[in-house]
Amino acid sequence: MPLVKNGALVDDIWVRPAEGEAFAPDAAVLLPADRIAEADGHQGPLGILWPNTKPVDELAPLLPRLSLIALHWPIFRDGRAYTQARLLRQRLGYKGEIRATGNILQDQLIFLARCGIDSFDLVKQADAEAASEVFKRFHVFYQAVDTARPTVFEQRKARLKA
């Protein structure tokens, strides 16, 4: 599947070993939550595929070890992973990469990014190719979130002070 990061198509360095398949000790490995114990002693970057049905607070003890958390959208209208991403960033202070996987539409990309998601594992090549344009569509926002973009109110206030 095509991977988008920083608005551009990139190669995915993460290996997703099949059930029972061994993986190199220094490889960047992305494992499902129920297999994370297999990574004890793993020396390379470690990622976890986290289902949207589990609370992210359960990840707290693993966060210092994780380089990637992949949140899953089983269907595009299921918004639980939006909340998971915000909780990871704001409540748990996670600074690593958060990836959206599953049934994601290009119309959702800007909203996912505003929730703290860094990369997007998209199903459709066309959505991946349109990603750079999607991120250019909106320049101002009304809602305040933890991003570098000021809200419309903050921009107006700054202009009045100038």
Side-chain angles (χ1 to χ4, degrees), residues 48 50 55-60 63 66 68-71 81-99 115-117:
I48 190 167
W50 196 253
V56 292
D57 291 338
E58 293 178 19
L59 284 171
L63 291 182
L66 295 174
L68 170 68
I69 299 173
L71 301 176
Y82 283 98
T83 303
Q84 288 177 317
R86 290 294 298 263
L87 291 173
L88 283 165
R89 294 285 188 220
Q90 292 178 332
R91 182 185 296 167
L92 299 175
Y94 181 68
K95 303 288 186 211
E97 181 180 347
I98 299 177
R99 179 178 295 180
C115 288
I117 294 174

Side-chain angles (χ1 to χ4, degrees), residues 3 78 147:
L3 181 66
D78 187 337
T147 67

Side-chain angles (χ1 to χ4, degrees), residues 108-123:
Q108 295 173 290
L109 297 179
I110 193 77
F111 303 111
L112 295 169
R114 288 183 49 79
C115 288
I117 294 174
D118 306 298
S119 61
F120 309 89
D121 191 0
L122 301 170
V123 174

Side-chain angles (χ1 to χ4, degrees), residues 52 71-82 101-105 108 112 123:
N52 70 353
L71 301 176
H72 188 66
W73 269 258
I75 56 176
F76 74 90
R77 65 180 184 267
D78 187 337
R80 291 177 283 186
Y82 283 98
T101 68
N103 192 349
I104 302 160
L105 306 177
Q108 295 173 290
L112 295 169
V123 174

